[in-house]
Amino acid sequence: MKRGFKYRFYPTEAQAVELSRTFGCVRKVYNLALQARSEAWGQRGERVGYEATSALLTVWKRTEELAFLGEVSSVPLQQTLRHLQTGFTNFFAKRARYPRFKSRKKSRASAEYTRSAFRWRDGTLTLAKMADPLDIRWSRPLPDGAVPSTVTVSRDPAGRWFVSLLCEDPGVRPLPATDAVVGIDVGLEYLLVLSSGEKIGNPRHERRDRTMLARAQRTLCRKQVGSSNRAKARVKAARIHARIADRRTDHLHKITTRLVRDAQTLVIEDLAVSNMVGNHRLARAINDAGWRQFRQLLECKASWYGRDVITVDRWFPSSKLCSTCGALAADMPLHVRTWTCNCGTTHDRDVNAARNIMAAGLAVTVCGAGVRPQRNPPSGQSVMKQKALRCEP
């Protein structure tokens, strides 16, 4: 299996200049190709593919206005045309939106190099148009005998440089099978509640640095637009954001790795996070919890190690359904954290929901995907998941 290994590196001044020029050229070629394809279809009804844009790139390099495109490696420029082709393919397949133009300030600064544009020798990486290898901090070793097939260099808004090496990883193989099944209920008071009764706390990474972040953002707003002081203030604010994101990612990696190792089948709810963040009172807390990232990491690691992830419909009444007798409570106010069913069982709201999610997932595995619990939302009820309203002030 191919796997990406990301490392931080520290370029020399000459390397930083060369990479910055490459990032700019990659963005310019992408925007030119997107404009050419859009105009060809809008004005002449003509579809322009990768081959045509590759030929246009050669023409652009020969013009006086765009001659600077020939001063950087041609491989990242060709790769960005392939990425644009992938974007259009996903758009026509209704898997993504129409490709958008890349902004110099908002788009990700990156360039992709294939085998013909870099040299890998004795654990050192040298990119095209560079005389010296990159000063990479090897925080973890590559797999034995691994040779990168693709190298992606990027710079984040905080000014940090990263290199991602795509290699074959023979160490990724299915884990021994087990009979363990776990239902997972996500929330804000507790990040995760498992069907076993375990509750994993929500670290609230953004809240820890909220005062520092607000101060940095106020300082940024007071700087004159276009000034060097504003650029410095922007980097300071970006570093705080990066530290928050790094802590959140590290925490989610540890949780998902443990869950995948312990259970064979993991059952979660199919939450519409993009709709849920429309509630501006909860958007900040939901984004800080990282529900979407949690699901992405869980599904990715499950596919690596031979585990199963089952999603239960978002309208399944997991909180109001008694996990003992199956009775459905008529009403369940949000402030009710424990409740007693008519059968005499007292439930913790979150644990009961996790157990119902697990039971629904087992029904899917036994009877097939067609029996996923489905129900229409009550009239007047928001798409917002009810349990999300537990956010603390």
Side-chain angles (χ1 to χ4, degrees), residues 74-94:
S74 62
V75 173
L77 307 184
Q78 293 290 342
Q79 289 299 102
T80 195
L81 296 179
R82 293 187 176 92
H83 294 164
L84 179 61
Q85 178 63 34
T86 302
F88 272 101
T89 300
N90 293 333
F91 168 73
F92 289 124
K94 298 183 179 181

Side-chain angles (χ1 to χ4, degrees), residues 217-283:
Q217 290 175 331
R218 287 197 299 268
T219 302
L220 173 62
C221 291
R222 288 194 294 265
K223 303 301 180 182
Q224 183 178 356
V225 177
S227 65
S228 59
N229 286 335
R230 184 179 179 87
K232 296 177 183 177
R234 181 194 59 78
V235 171
K236 289 183 180 179
R239 286 175 179 171
I240 300 176
H241 279 292
R243 183 166 61 248
I244 295 171
D246 289 345
R247 287 203 302 258
R248 181 187 303 117
T249 300
D250 179 71
H251 183 63
L252 293 178
H253 267 295
K254 293 176 180 177
I255 293 176
T256 52
T257 298
R258 197 199 80 181
L259 291 174
V260 168
R261 287 177 177 173
D262 294 345
Q264 177 67 36
T265 303
L266 305 107
V267 189
I268 60 176
E269 286 183 291
D270 184 20
L271 300 180
V273 178
S274 58
N275 293 338
M276 297 167 70
V277 295
N279 186 327
H280 297 295
R281 293 191 305 168
L282 299 175

Side-chain angles (χ1 to χ4, degrees), residues 21-32:
R21 293 173 58 196
T22 303
F23 295 159
C25 292
V26 165
R27 183 178 61 252
K28 181 67 173 179
V29 169
Y30 184 93
N31 290 339
L32 288 174

Side-chain angles (χ1 to χ4, degrees), residues 277-292:
V277 295
N279 186 327
H280 297 295
R281 293 191 305 168
L282 299 175
R284 192 170 194 172
I286 292 174
N287 288 327
D288 189 23
W291 291 348
R292 187 193 304 275

